[in-house]
Amino acid sequence: MKSKRVKLVDIAAKLNVSVGLVSLVLSGKAKENRISEAMAKKVIETANEMGYSVNQLARGLRTGKSGIIGLLVADIANPYFGKMARFIENEASKLGYQVMFGSSDENPDKLRQLIDVFVSRQVDGIIVVPVKGSDELLSKEAFQVPIIFIDRYCDNIQQDYVCSDNFEGAFQLCNVLIKKGFRKIAAMVYNTDLSNNRDRIKGYKAALAEAGLDVDENLIHEVAFQHLETRLEPALKSAINAGCDAFFFANNSLGIESIKLFNQSGIKIGEDLGMVSFDNPEVYHVVKPGITCYEQPIEAMSQFAVKLLCDKIKSKEKYINVNKMLTGNLILRDSS
Amino acid sequence: MKSKRVKLVDIAAKLNVSVGLVSLVLSGKAKENRISEAMAKKVIETANEMGYSVNQLARGLRTGKSGIIGLLVADIANPYFGKMARFIENEASKLGYQVMFGSSDENPDKLRQLIDVFVSRQVDGIIVVPVKGSDELLSKEAFQVPIIFIDRYCDNIQQDYVCSDNFEGAFQLCNVLIKKGFRKIAAMVYNTDLSNNRDRIKGYKAALAEAGLDVDENLIHEVAFQHLETRLEPALKSAINAGCDAFFFANNSLGIESIKLFNQSGIKIGEDLGMVSFDNPEVYHVVKPGITCYEQPIEAMSQFAVKLLCDKIKSKEKYINVNKMLTGNLILRDSS
DNA sequence: CTGTTAGCGCCTTCAG
DNA sequence: CTGAAGGCGCTAACAG
């Protein structure tokens, strides 16, 4: 197999010219080196005929840039991150980069390993969803490779990031409930102490406060990310027993799993209970009644992150001081 | 930035030994070259102290293997492919490979470009979801790099593949409907002439035939993949007008979009109409009534594909004659 | 305008 | 057991 790949020297030999010349032409630097058009054309043609394709490994070794961007998300199987990966792929491709991905499962050790692998593969930059406990790691690694945080930021370290306006989203969602007359709104959130979760709870509290409603800490439930199946149900029951009349879910997983549980116990959303949620998974559109939600600007975030990363790669600065929050989209449906 | 990476020669200098020695130790070949344990230990320690990390570009150039697997799916944002990517990532990681991905959007030109890029990046192998019109391309490219098809196969060319048993899945789904007493079952499928779609329609027809029901070609609707929003509704209406009493959907997108339309027009699944579908997206579980479906064995397929690819990489054969069909999982819910 | 020549960082014989 | 040297394929000066 593998009928010996043709390389620069092969096509140079065939044409009786030097490798340097061929290299110049094939990397698009013919013009600026004032190589005759006839020559350039001939080189390109025979390169095609012979089925030449650069060896990016060799080129990368020589130039010191691999042309690869590393993408580290929590889980590529999660549609939220899947979409993000797709938008990042598109944008990176426009700029001539390929993307290599990895899933951290919200686990800092796994994240560290993946970063090490990416670094040893000489990625030109990394877009990462930081996880709980990765602050130290990420601030240190920042000295190795240009890095951009996406979706979340870390308070303890300075890093460039792009995320959605979590405070604003939660604020708007809860306001919808309040305007509809709901008064005892429960909040469900992951127990992972990350900026996105925190800001969403802040937005929830701010909306209540602005409406003159009491913030009842007993109505705020932090649910373990790793044990959703077993931990969610008791949390919901506890909130209901405490007399809540509506739910604010801080993300799609919590919302979706809760709908399943509501179905099982015969609770009717939109009648018995109001409901709003962060994120806009397909389920929220298909289910009856539809779920009012705040859709994050995944495309804009992804594009921005890639552009930012490329800027950072060029600038060679280890911190360019960009903290970007993009606003999402409130989608009103019948659950509220 | 980028405080100059430490390389083999640096640590060799510090220890007053040769680069070769360090290389041997650091690539785990100390034992087989009978290098003293003390020496090995010292090398490893100082390598860690100095923060050494191999340059995979250089290693790859030298050894002729990049340690990268290319994954080409239709769209990484589609949860079906997202899951596949995740399982492939896990399996590849176990075997020491990193994965680079690309989305073809079912477009053969895009697929060709991506393959070219992957080849020039010296990927050691490719796992690809073939698309309509890519037969020629894929049979030719097979001479360059080990390749495994996943999810679908091409009739016109010999290639190793792993996919789910689409015939069997469709057969089982339609049988469920038939046993429940449905007699005029409509089939909805993409109009892309691919093995998976074809086999599903074959399974549908076989189930009808076995039950002694007529196969009415007017009840089989091929819907354009690119224009689902506009083409699906008329197709559904036409089937309903033709008097169908149940629907078989050949994939999740068709099923999900149809549920939305049924909701809009007040049609009640499970009461007015029976419904079964290929794939098991979250929506089918959450919606009321739940949708009876055939879940594809994504994890098994993915694992098998990676293992197969690695075998193929080792064997250096361009065709190892493996055509694997894995059976999925029938999930009974209330829509049928 | 074109040719020559060093390496990029690593691995792998081949001598000692 | 250890050191020296060549070369993977390509680019970037620097010569002509």
Side-chain angles (χ1 to χ4, degrees):
Chain A
M1 157 155 217
K2 187 167 290 191
S3 50
K4 214 185 280 176
R5 301 216 229 261
V6 9
K7 38 197 182 178
L8 287 186
V9 64
D10 296 327
I11 112 141
K14 183 154 193 170
L15 252 39
N16 264 320
V17 296
S18 75
V19 237
L21 198 240
V22 179
S23 168
L24 250 22
V25 172
L26 259 26
S27 44
K29 292 171 188 158
K31 271 274 165 55
E32 65 193 74
N33 287 71
R34 295 181 302 175
I35 288 168
S36 69
E37 283 203 19
M39 184 76 254
K41 198 179 153 203
K42 207 163 55 177
V43 169
I44 290 171
E45 274 171 6
T46 56
N48 287 336
E49 280 169 22
M50 300 175 73
Y52 174 77
S53 145
V54 239
N55 182 329
Q56 294 284 6
L57 251 39
R59 174 182 282 180
L61 178 59
R62 183 60 234 249
T63 60
K65 14 195 67 285
S66 62
I68 299 174
I69 286 178
L71 172 63
L72 288 165
V73 297
D75 181 7
I76 193 85
N78 177 327
Y80 173 73
F81 292 120
K83 282 185 196 163
M84 186 179 282
R86 183 61 208 275
F87 290 128
I88 286 176
E89 175 196 351
N90 289 353
E91 195 66 22
S93 159
K94 280 186 209 160
L95 281 65
Y97 284 97
Q98 229 53 44
V99 9
M100 194 175 264
F101 74 92
S103 304
S104 71
D105 283 324
E106 304 277 3
N107 176 340
D109 291 327
K110 221 163 174 177
L111 186 63
R112 168 191 296 279
Q113 276 178 239
L114 284 166
I115 288 185
D116 286 346
V117 173
F118 281 10
V119 167
S120 90
R121 290 204 180 281
Q122 315 296 114
V123 296
D124 291 337
I126 294 177
I127 296 177
V128 63
V129 175
V131 309
K132 187 178 175 183
S134 63
D135 307 27
E136 210 179 322
L137 162 68
L138 261 21
S139 67
K140 210 188 80 197
E141 288 300 333
F143 292 92
Q144 299 268 335
V145 169
I147 193 168
I148 300 287
F149 287 0
I150 192 167
D151 187 58
R152 315 163 184 171
Y153 56 88
C154 298
D155 319 84
N156 312 329
I157 58 173
Q158 274 195 327
Q159 264 302 6
D160 303 299
Y161 67 81
V162 40
C163 63
S164 47
D165 194 336
N166 293 299
F167 177 92
E168 178 64 21
F171 186 83
Q172 288 186 18
L173 284 171
C174 292
N175 257 339
V176 170
L177 288 176
I178 293 168
K179 293 239 170 72
K180 290 279 181 172
F182 294 101
R183 283 297 168 266
K184 291 203 71 167
I185 303 170
M188 310 294 292
V189 62
Y190 277 150
N191 71 341
T192 48
D193 183 41
L194 290 163
S195 70
N196 50 356
N197 294 327
R198 260 197 324 271
D199 289 347
R200 289 171 199 180
I201 290 300
K202 280 185 198 159
Y204 157 85
K205 287 181 178 173
L208 296 194
E210 202 190 69
L213 298 174
D214 281 345
V215 172
D216 179 355
E217 292 289 343
N218 291 321
L219 287 180
I220 302 179
H221 283 86
E222 300 195 343
V223 186
F225 165 72
Q226 299 89 340
H227 305 94
L228 243 201
E229 325 75 46
T230 56
R231 305 287 173 78
L232 183 57
E233 190 165 10
L236 292 176
K237 280 201 177 133
S238 151
I240 291 173
N241 288 340
C244 79
D245 55 8
F247 277 99
F248 160 66
F249 291 99
N251 67 51
N252 58 6
S253 310
L254 289 167
I256 291 172
E257 292 306 314
S258 296
I259 294 176
K260 289 182 193 166
L261 292 171
F262 289 153
N263 280 348
Q264 280 173 26
S265 42
I267 293 173
K268 297 231 185 305
I269 297 159
E271 298 178 24
D272 304 337
L273 279 175
M275 166 170 174
V276 297
S277 173
F278 235 83
D279 295 327
N280 183 24
E282 190 97 57
V283 167
Y284 289 176
H285 187 180
V286 176
V287 104
K288 282 184 301 187
I291 308 298
T292 292
C293 64
Y294 186 80
E295 184 178 46
Q296 297 192 61
I298 308 185
E299 180 165 17
M301 277 167 54
S302 307
Q303 290 179 343
F304 196 90
V306 174
K307 281 182 194 144
L308 200 57
L309 182 61
C310 291
D311 287 350
K312 201 162 170 179
I313 291 172
K314 277 188 208 114
S315 80
K316 299 185 177 171
E317 300 292 334
K318 68 181 171 199
Y319 183 56
I320 56 179
N321 198 7
V322 175
N323 295 170
K324 186 81 172 180
M325 269 190 196
L326 297 166
T327 56
N329 197 8
L330 184 68
I331 298 177
L332 296 172
R333 298 203 182 99
D334 298 329
S335 69
S336 65
Chain B
M1 158 155 218
K2 188 166 294 194
S3 49
K4 213 186 283 177
R5 301 216 229 259
V6 8
K7 40 197 179 180
L8 288 185
V9 63
D10 297 327
I11 111 145
K14 185 155 192 170
L15 251 39
N16 265 319
V17 297
S18 75
V19 225
L21 197 241
V22 180
S23 168
L24 250 23
V25 173
L26 260 26
S27 44
K29 291 170 189 159
K31 271 274 165 54
E32 64 193 75
N33 286 71
R34 294 181 303 175
I35 288 167
S36 68
E37 283 202 20
M39 183 77 257
K41 197 177 154 203
K42 207 165 56 177
V43 169
I44 291 173
E45 274 171 6
T46 55
N48 287 337
E49 279 170 23
M50 299 174 74
Y52 174 76
S53 145
V54 239
N55 182 330
Q56 295 284 5
L57 251 39
R59 174 181 282 179
L61 178 60
R62 183 60 234 255
T63 61
K65 11 196 73 284
S66 62
I68 299 175
I69 286 179
L71 172 64
L72 289 165
V73 296
D75 181 6
I76 193 84
N78 177 328
Y80 173 72
F81 293 120
K83 281 184 197 163
M84 186 179 284
R86 182 60 207 277
F87 290 128
I88 287 177
E89 174 196 350
N90 289 352
E91 195 65 22
S93 159
K94 280 186 209 159
L95 280 65
Y97 284 98
Q98 229 52 44
V99 10
M100 195 175 261
F101 74 92
S103 304
S104 71
D105 284 325
E106 304 278 2
N107 177 343
D109 291 328
K110 220 163 174 178
L111 187 63
R112 169 191 295 282
Q113 275 177 238
L114 284 165
I115 288 185
D116 286 347
V117 173
F118 281 11
V119 167
S120 90
R121 291 204 179 281
Q122 315 295 114
V123 296
D124 292 337
I126 295 178
I127 295 177
V128 63
V129 175
V131 309
K132 188 179 175 183
S134 63
D135 306 26
E136 210 179 323
L137 162 68
L138 261 20
S139 67
K140 211 189 77 198
E141 289 298 336
F143 291 93
Q144 299 268 334
V145 170
I147 191 168
I148 300 288
F149 288 178
I150 192 166
D151 187 57
R152 314 163 185 172
Y153 56 89
C154 298
D155 319 85
N156 312 328
I157 58 173
Q158 275 195 326
Q159 264 303 6
D160 303 298
Y161 66 80
V162 39
C163 64
S164 46
D165 194 337
N166 293 299
F167 177 92
E168 177 64 21
F171 187 82
Q172 288 186 18
L173 284 172
C174 293
N175 257 340
V176 171
L177 288 176
I178 292 168
K179 293 238 170 72
K180 290 280 181 172
F182 294 102
R183 283 296 168 265
K184 292 203 68 166
I185 303 170
M188 312 294 292
V189 61
Y190 278 150
N191 71 341
T192 47
D193 183 41
L194 291 163
S195 70
N196 51 356
N197 294 327
R198 262 199 321 274
D199 290 347
R200 288 172 199 180
I201 289 300
K202 281 185 197 160
Y204 155 84
K205 288 181 178 173
L208 296 194
E210 204 191 67
L213 298 174
D214 280 346
V215 172
D216 179 354
E217 292 290 343
N218 290 322
L219 286 181
I220 303 179
H221 283 85
E222 300 195 344
V223 185
F225 165 73
Q226 299 88 343
H227 305 94
L228 245 199
E229 324 75 47
T230 56
R231 305 286 172 79
L232 182 58
E233 190 164 10
L236 292 176
K237 281 201 176 133
S238 152
I240 290 172
N241 289 339
C244 79
D245 56 8
F247 277 97
F248 160 65
F249 291 98
N251 66 50
N252 58 6
S253 311
L254 288 166
I256 292 172
E257 292 307 314
S258 296
I259 295 177
K260 290 182 193 166
L261 292 170
F262 290 153
N263 280 347
Q264 279 172 27
S265 42
I267 293 174
K268 297 228 186 310
I269 297 160
E271 299 178 23
D272 305 338
L273 279 175
M275 167 170 174
V276 296
S277 173
F278 236 85
D279 296 327
N280 182 25
E282 188 98 57
V283 166
Y284 290 175
H285 186 179
V286 176
V287 104
K288 282 183 301 188
I291 308 298
T292 291
C293 62
Y294 186 81
E295 185 179 45
Q296 297 191 65
I298 309 184
E299 180 164 18
M301 279 169 53
S302 307
Q303 290 179 343
F304 196 90
V306 174
K307 281 181 194 146
L308 200 57
L309 183 61
C310 292
D311 287 349
K312 202 163 170 178
I313 290 172
K314 277 186 209 119
S315 81
K316 299 186 179 170
E317 300 293 332
K318 68 182 170 199
Y319 183 56
I320 55 179
N321 197 9
V322 176
N323 294 170
K324 185 82 172 180
M325 269 191 197
L326 297 166
T327 55
N329 196 8
L330 183 68
I331 298 177
L332 295 172
R333 299 203 181 99
D334 298 330
S335 70
S336 65

